[in-house]
Amino acid sequence: MTKKLYISTYGCQMNVYDSARMADILSPLGYSLTQEPANADMAILNTCHIREKASEKTFSELGRLRNLRKAKEEKGKGDMLIAVAGCVAQAEGDEIMKRAPYVNMVFGPQSYHKLPEMLAEATRGAGQVLDTDFPVEPKFDHLPDEAIDTNLSAFLTVQEGCDKFCAFCVVPYTRGAEFSRTTADIISEAKRMIDGGTREITLLGQNVNAYHGLKDDGKSASLAELIYMLSELDGLQRLRYTTSHPLEMTEELCQAHRDVDILMPYLHLPVQAGSDKILEAMNRRHTGDEYRRIIEKLRKYRPDLALSGDFIVGFPGETDADFEDTLQLVRDVKYAQAYSFKYSPRPGTPAAGLADQMIPEEVKSERLARLQALLNEQQLEFNRTFEGKTIPVLLEREGKREGQLVGRSPYMQSVFVQSPAHRIGRIANIIVEEGNANSLRGRIDTGSAQDVA
Ligand code: 5AD
Ligand code: SF4
């Protein structure tokens, strides 16, 4: 008999990857995925702790699930197991147990491979099950072989955790120390993904360019070496990696952007702030000019490289002049895309202790609005530069409109075209007709060789 599994995923791509692995692990136990929490036999919230807002959602979602569970039981449709996974579980496991005693299981990002055991324990009526250890043996060794993503464009976790300890960030505490998978593991997973139909792989890691996994000869490989190895695989057409730290942008990795043809000309390289004083207080360990030089170097090797970033406004002690430095850095670098946030103090992080230097909410809001206006302007400007150009687009799925397909450009833009569905899975040359704020619109270049393929 099949049981229904509902997973709600918050936060980063790593959580999306983890949720898919949880579904794979539970599938041999008879669980199949549902989008409908009301009928679920088991509901998992895969949570994010990065900012306060993200973390608050956990408790409101839990309340909603509790009501759905009651309704299900009252209809005589049996119980619903409720689990909290991910970084809120890791950071606030005990608190969840106390505040929501109806939750059956709480487990962190390093424990989900033990789901079958935890499930057995929970259904035996052992009370609440809590597992927020950082095990010595990495979970990757325990994942079933089938547990892979074979979407056309798919994610592959190569590295996890972070040793950087930026003063605002919970990741080193929730995801733990840096850990890199071996090259053999990654290559075998990549091959299985490609066999299953994947054409574009994004290598995932909280600090992906700090990757240092072991090779077969017992020495460690850099991310650049791993990229070269993966670029040899037949059938793989595109490669990306995220998220990177400026300090780990080695010469070798920058050069890979020139030398590896399947490595896409897009890089998410967060800088967080432009003021040297704030960068130091954030423990980023580089200056604004050092970041600018990295960008110059990358653009020397790959002139069309599109950049994306993350920014925090209103970090404790940020003056108007500091914020101006952030705006100036954005003007200098010119981003194709970016994410920006108001600083949110996270319990247990060093910056949360700077209570006397906190920035008022309205100042943060005003700075965020100014920064986002500039970033949006840059994004639109970037997209407009493509009007009239022809670019290769990996057509991924049908769009909302009749006869429409949606794909991605090498620069991560969403591209909309009118085309029959049989082109899904192909890289088609698209003549861009319009560059909009968040996407491109174009038409298939029917005269091109790639379309005939
Ligand atoms: N407050 C605001 N933004 C944060 N980020 C991480 N921690 C915080 C915080 N405490 C942002 C950073 C990071 C992105 C994933 O989330 O910009 O790069
Ligand atoms: Fe957090 Fe900094 Fe590590 Fe990124 S590099 S995960 S911001 S501690």
Side-chain angles (χ1 to χ4, degrees), residues 140-442:
F140 293 104
D141 294 351
H142 298 272
L143 293 181
D145 270 2
E146 315 72 62
I148 54 162
D149 186 351
T150 53
N151 287 329
L152 209 50
S153 173
F155 294 98
L156 200 176
T157 297
V158 301
Q159 179 277 341
E160 202 174 354
C162 180
D163 295 338
K164 294 282 187 293
F165 292 94
C166 298
F168 50 81
C169 184
V170 288
V171 168
Y173 312 99
T174 56
R175 290 275 171 171
E178 263 176 29
F179 167 81
S180 297
R181 299 175 71 185
T182 64
T183 56
D185 257 14
I186 294 165
I187 287 166
S188 97
E189 183 162 337
K191 280 186 179 155
R192 281 182 281 125
M193 291 164 80
I194 297 164
D195 287 346
T198 296
R199 292 292 165 263
E200 172 175 281
I201 293 181
T202 302
L203 307 177
L204 273 189
Q206 260 97 25
N207 226 292
V208 73
N209 58 346
Y211 173 83
H212 56 269
L214 290 180
K215 292 183 284 193
D216 293 348
D217 64 6
K219 295 191 184 126
S220 77
S222 63
L223 181 67
E225 271 181 275
L226 178 67
I227 286 171
Y228 281 102
M229 288 177 181
L230 290 168
S231 71
E232 302 286 315
L233 297 182
D234 279 344
L236 184 62
Q237 293 177 326
R238 291 179 162 194
L239 198 52
R240 305 178 187 274
Y241 59 95
T242 197
T243 292
S244 297
H245 191 288
L247 281 188
E248 311 280 352
M249 267 341 281
T250 59
E251 190 70 28
E252 190 194 16
L253 184 56
C254 294
Q255 278 179 17
H257 280 275
R258 176 192 64 193
D259 298 335
V260 179
D261 57 350
I262 65 166
L263 186 60
M264 291 293 102
Y266 173 89
L267 179 66
H268 183 59
L269 192 65
V271 64
Q272 315 294 358
S275 139
D276 290 349
K277 181 191 94 187
I278 296 297
L279 285 168
E280 190 175 347
M282 285 177 163
N283 192 31
R284 293 290 293 178
R285 290 182 277 162
H286 62 77
T287 63
D289 278 346
E290 279 159 359
Y291 181 85
R292 285 179 179 85
R293 280 200 288 277
I294 294 165
I295 303 299
E296 273 167 30
K297 185 163 67 176
L298 277 159
R299 285 189 166 140
K300 185 182 80 188
Y301 291 128
R302 184 77 211 213
D304 64 336
L305 187 81
L307 279 156
S308 152
D310 287 345
F311 297 89
I312 297 177
V313 301
F315 186 80
E318 186 187 70
T319 61
D320 284 339
D322 292 323
F323 175 63
E324 281 303 323
D325 288 347
T326 298
L327 293 178
Q328 192 52 48
L329 184 137
V330 171
R331 284 184 209 109
D332 293 344
V333 171
K334 293 197 176 67
Y335 288 88
Q337 206 227 322
Y339 305 90
S340 44
F341 314 99
K342 290 192 241 181
Y343 170 69
S344 133
R346 309 306 295 126
T349 58
L354 305 172
D356 53 330
Q357 297 176 54
M358 289 298 167
I359 306 297
E361 200 54 32
E362 58 279 13
V363 176
K364 285 196 229 173
S365 300
E366 192 262 337
R367 287 182 188 164
L368 187 66
R370 282 178 64 199
L371 175 62
Q372 290 187 339
L374 175 61
L375 289 166
N376 289 342
E377 211 178 280
Q378 292 194 342
Q379 184 169 327
L380 177 62
E381 209 173 294
F382 178 75
N383 288 344
R384 285 212 173 128
T385 61
F386 288 86
E387 290 179 354
K389 289 191 186 152
T390 302
I391 50 171
V393 174
L394 175 60
L395 296 170
E396 286 180 31
R397 57 188 169 83
E398 292 188 62
K400 287 208 181 89
R401 295 217 191 123
E402 179 86 24
Q404 185 184 56
L405 298 186
V406 193
R408 286 238 183 237
S409 77
Y411 312 94
M412 276 302 269
Q413 296 138 307
S414 293
V415 185
F416 293 87
V417 286
Q418 292 300 120
S419 163
H422 70 81
R423 284 202 182 89
I424 291 177
R426 285 197 211 168
I427 295 179
N429 279 335
I430 304 292
I431 304 168
V432 179
E433 295 176 317
E434 200 178 309
N436 297 313
N438 296 309
S439 62
L440 305 178
R441 193 179 52 75

Side-chain angles (χ1 to χ4, degrees), residues 117-132:
E117 288 117 281
M118 290 191 269
L119 185 62
E121 242 183 275
T123 44
R124 254 189 270 120
Q128 290 178 301
V129 181
L130 174 72
D131 193 333
T132 50

